[in-house]
Amino acid sequence: MKIGYARISTQDQNFDLQIDVLKNEGCEKIIRDTMSGAKEERDGLKELFKIIRKGDTLVVWRLDRLGRSLKHLIEVVKELDDRNCFFKSIMENIDTTSSGGKLIFHIFGALAEFERSIVRERTLAGLVSARSRGQVGGRPKKMDKKKIALAKSLHDDPSNSIGDICEILDISKSTLYRYLEED
């Protein structure tokens, strides 16, 4: 069975074009989602994975209707493959029922993995370079030594409430307690 998946980002848009194309493609059932493609958790996708069965094909009008990131697209197609299901994108002419379509998606997967490796290598190289110049990574500290000393002296005075101390120092209660505990 061919199952279509149509997604629009806002209520202002409509499904007409996608539905027409999916029906023309022979989809017996069409799942609709109204949500940003950047969101991986979508009710329509959850429904789709509840009903799709071995041998079924998920059909989309365009790849961007299924997901915005290559990583997410690959995860969805891998999930389909694990269930012995297929994937077809009409506009990009990708069809994993054929060996050529499977090859295209394996190439996409390899490119995504390569991209993740490059980003990881650049990040690590940047950290090593920054550390060699004496820079420390992470968030800047909220309080310096003077502010910590002031916080302690204010805290030692029982007439000051925790809320007052936090307001004076412009910090949250958890930040105050964390610095007090460190001493």
Side-chain angles (χ1 to χ4, degrees):
M1 174 168 64
K2 288 184 177 181
I3 301 172
Y5 177 78
R7 182 188 60 78
I8 57 175
S9 300
T10 67
Q11 295 288 349
D12 297 339
Q13 299 172 334
N14 71 57
F15 288 102
D16 295 345
L17 171 67
Q18 293 178 65
I19 300 300
D20 291 346
V21 171
L22 293 171
K23 282 182 180 176
N24 191 43
E25 188 62 32
C27 294
E28 298 171 40
K29 184 161 184 71
I30 297 174
I31 307 294
R32 300 171 191 222
D33 246 340
T34 304
M35 185 172 284
S36 168
K39 304 247 187 240
E40 293 182 17
E41 290 291 320
R42 294 182 236 148
D43 293 338
L45 276 181
K46 288 178 186 176
E47 180 184 345
L48 175 96
F49 280 111
K50 286 180 184 174
I51 65 169
I52 200 160
R53 300 287 175 253
K54 181 179 179 179
D56 288 348
T57 301
L58 167 62
V59 182
V60 296
W61 171 56
R62 293 175 50 129
L63 282 175
D64 68 350
R65 297 298 85 201
L66 185 58
R68 291 279 172 100
S69 75
L70 182 58
K71 177 182 175 275
H72 182 242
L73 289 170
I74 290 169
E75 288 170 359
V76 171
V77 173
K78 170 101 173 71
E79 175 76 17
L80 291 169
D81 189 52
D82 290 347
R83 294 168 176 239
N84 294 312
C85 298
F86 303 100
F87 173 73
K88 182 172 186 174
S89 176
I90 297 165
M91 291 301 290
E92 289 82 7
N93 202 21
I94 296 172
D95 186 348
T96 64
T97 60
S98 72
S99 55
K102 285 181 182 176
L103 173 64
I104 294 293
F105 243 91
H106 285 294
I107 290 170
F108 281 0
L111 289 172
E113 187 175 331
F114 175 70
E115 180 184 23
R116 284 190 298 274
S117 295
I118 295 269
V119 168
R120 186 173 44 249
E121 287 173 8
R122 286 181 185 155
T123 301
L124 291 174
L127 288 171
V128 167
S129 174
R131 286 183 188 131
S132 72
R133 290 189 313 278
Q135 295 176 340
V136 180
R139 244 186 213 178
K141 298 278 185 194
K142 196 74 167 149
M143 294 181 27
D144 58 15
K145 289 180 182 180
K146 280 184 177 180
K147 245 184 168 178
I148 295 169
L150 178 58
K152 289 176 186 172
S153 67
L154 290 170
H155 187 259
D156 290 341
D157 182 353
S159 67
N160 294 318
S161 72
I162 296 296
D164 291 339
I165 297 170
C166 292
E167 192 175 323
I168 291 167
L169 298 173
D170 192 29
I171 58 173
S172 67
K173 289 180 183 179
S174 60
T175 300
L176 175 64
Y177 287 128
R178 186 173 56 251
Y179 280 100
L180 292 174
E181 285 176 9
E182 286 177 4
D183 190 45

